[in-house]
Amino acid sequence: MRTEDTDGSGPDLRHHGDAEVRDDGAALVDLAVNVRADTPPRWLREEIAGSLSSLAAYPDGRAARAAVAARHGLPVERVLLTAGAAEAFVLLARALEVRRPVVVHPQFTEPEAALRDAGHPVGRVLLREEDGFRLDAAAVPEDADLVVIGNPTNPTSVLHPAETVTRLARPGRTLVVDEAFMDAVPGEREALAGRTDVPGLVVLRSLTKTWGLAGLRIGYALAAPEVIARLERAQPLWPVSTPALAAARACVAPRALAEAGHAAHRVAGDRAHLVAGLSALARRGVRVVQPAEGPFVLIRMPDAAAVRRRLRDLGHAVRRGDTFPGLGPDWIRVAVRDRTTTNTFLTALSTALPED
């Protein structure tokens, strides 16, 4: 684990998994994007469609905000609805006065990109493969006044213990925990959403991954009321559309939470199947970061860039890993899919790998 200051040169922080399946990749089997494949379900599409008759009115987010607050046992003053979790990173970068922001990598690159776009110099704490990409809170500089970490982390699929993450909290420091994939963890163990006893805590959640709403853009931030007020002032008027507000209310209702819980257990089983298949290719140089706890796995293999190209020729898109700080050209990320899709991918991967 090491800390570095950087000018932002190096990996392309704006590259995301959707780039793998645009244009000539549209017909490929999508293992690059971390949105659950069987979503949104019919009942959710119907809820969203039912909101369309209200499009002539300006969006009113009060009911959705109250529903999110109730879901986490919080007062509404601690909730801000956003156009996906990505908007929250931009708001944090623009609204908070910070001198020494630090991002824990490898992780989702948008937080660092947003901070740099807002003119902030950004330090990096790089977690190491030999440590299982696990967090050592002592590695974060004491003078960091904003720290960003994902949990479970994209792309490593590591779930950090809540106790370890909360050790990063300090008076005068903002601790941003990206929990975009936490609802894919059975029981949401290690979640910090709903906690009010951690100083400076900001938790970000996305509803786009589990519910297949990436095109609708809906997420939220949970933080102290004074932080929420600052972020809200940085938002444009009516930032979340009426259909997105309808989706937010529906996705935090008891029925949806129960369905998400069942989906998390199903994903865990499908992930175990994927990891077992990948582990069977260990003699050919395939290494999986374990234990994986998210709806994706991070894999290291020789000549991964060439393997990724051969996989495309065989009809499969996976996420390149070299655009994540702390990784390199030998890494790819693969989304967890149903077992039939996984078996087809494993066959293709065996073909794409260099010969023994």
Side-chain angles (χ1 to χ4, degrees):
M1 186 176 311
R2 71 181 191 273
T3 304
E4 66 178 24
D5 293 307
T6 173
D7 60 4
S9 60
D12 178 6
L13 300 179
R14 294 297 191 188
H15 182 89
H16 300 298
D18 62 312
E20 312 284 354
V21 289
R22 290 198 300 257
D23 302 328
D24 65 333
L28 301 177
V29 176
D30 180 8
L31 299 165
V33 176
N34 288 326
V35 174
R36 205 177 87 205
D38 58 345
T39 51
R42 171 181 277 184
W43 63 264
L44 181 52
R45 296 198 303 270
E46 290 173 350
E47 289 279 352
I48 294 168
S51 73
L52 300 182
S53 61
S54 303
L55 292 186
Y58 286 96
D60 182 349
R62 290 176 295 176
R65 189 177 184 183
V68 171
R71 182 255 195 270
H72 292 289
L74 296 171
V76 294
E77 293 81 8
R78 283 183 168 267
V79 176
L80 181 68
L81 303 175
T82 59
E87 188 205 6
F89 293 123
V90 174
L91 297 176
L92 288 162
R94 294 178 178 177
L96 300 186
E97 296 177 4
V98 295
R99 301 179 310 280
R100 182 79 162 92
V102 169
V103 179
V104 179
H105 285 289
Q107 79 147 346
F108 184 47
T109 54
E110 201 60 30
E112 179 173 329
L115 286 162
R116 293 193 180 281
D117 287 347
H120 299 291
V122 181
R124 294 173 179 166
V125 171
L126 301 178
L127 308 184
R128 302 186 305 173
E129 177 188 7
E130 52 265 45
D131 298 326
F133 295 108
R134 304 205 69 81
L135 173 66
D136 176 4
V140 176
E142 278 295 325
D143 64 346
D145 57 356
L146 183 145
V147 178
V148 184
I149 186 168
N151 204 31
T153 303
N154 170 24
T156 64
S157 209
V158 169
L159 181 66
H160 304 289
E163 181 181 358
T164 302
V165 177
T166 57
R167 287 194 204 118
L168 295 172
R170 302 278 190 284
R173 171 186 287 178
T174 300
L175 171 59
V176 180
V177 183
D178 176 8
E179 292 189 349
F181 295 99
M182 188 60 80
D183 59 355
V185 176
E188 296 194 4
R189 66 186 192 282
E190 314 303 345
L192 294 178
R195 294 275 296 269
T196 60
D197 60 324
V198 181
L201 177 65
V202 179
V203 175
L204 305 182
R205 286 285 182 111
S206 170
L207 296 173
T208 65
K209 316 299 185 185
T210 288
W211 297 111
L213 299 174
L216 194 63
R217 312 307 306 142
I218 180 63
Y220 53 89
L222 308 174
E226 60 272 19
V227 174
I228 293 297
R230 293 184 70 175
L231 299 181
E232 190 170 18
R233 285 195 295 271
Q235 277 186 314
L237 291 173
W238 310 292
V240 181
S241 70
T242 295
L245 293 172
R249 292 196 305 273
C251 290
V252 297
R255 168 186 176 172
L257 296 181
E259 185 172 321
H262 291 310
H265 285 283
R266 185 167 65 252
V267 166
D270 290 341
R271 183 180 59 240
H273 180 75
L274 171 60
V275 169
L278 292 168
S279 298
L281 296 171
R283 63 180 177 81
R284 300 180 65 185
V286 175
R287 299 289 182 269
V288 186
V289 175
Q290 296 192 65
E293 300 282 2
F296 45 85
V297 297
L298 182 63
I299 308 166
R300 186 170 191 171
M301 64 185 69
D303 205 9
V307 172
R308 185 168 59 85
R309 290 192 295 270
R310 287 193 286 269
L311 282 169
R312 291 183 74 85
D313 293 339
L314 294 167
H316 293 77
V318 297
R319 171 64 157 92
R320 60 190 289 188
D322 60 337
T323 64
F324 292 101
L327 300 182
D330 290 340
W331 295 92
I332 63 172
R333 189 194 69 196
V334 177
V336 173
R337 297 291 187 242
D338 64 87
R339 299 187 186 202
T340 299
T341 302
T342 292
N343 289 341
T344 303
F345 162 70
L346 291 169
T347 300
L349 177 59
S350 181
T351 301
L353 286 168
E355 294 297 327
D356 295 343

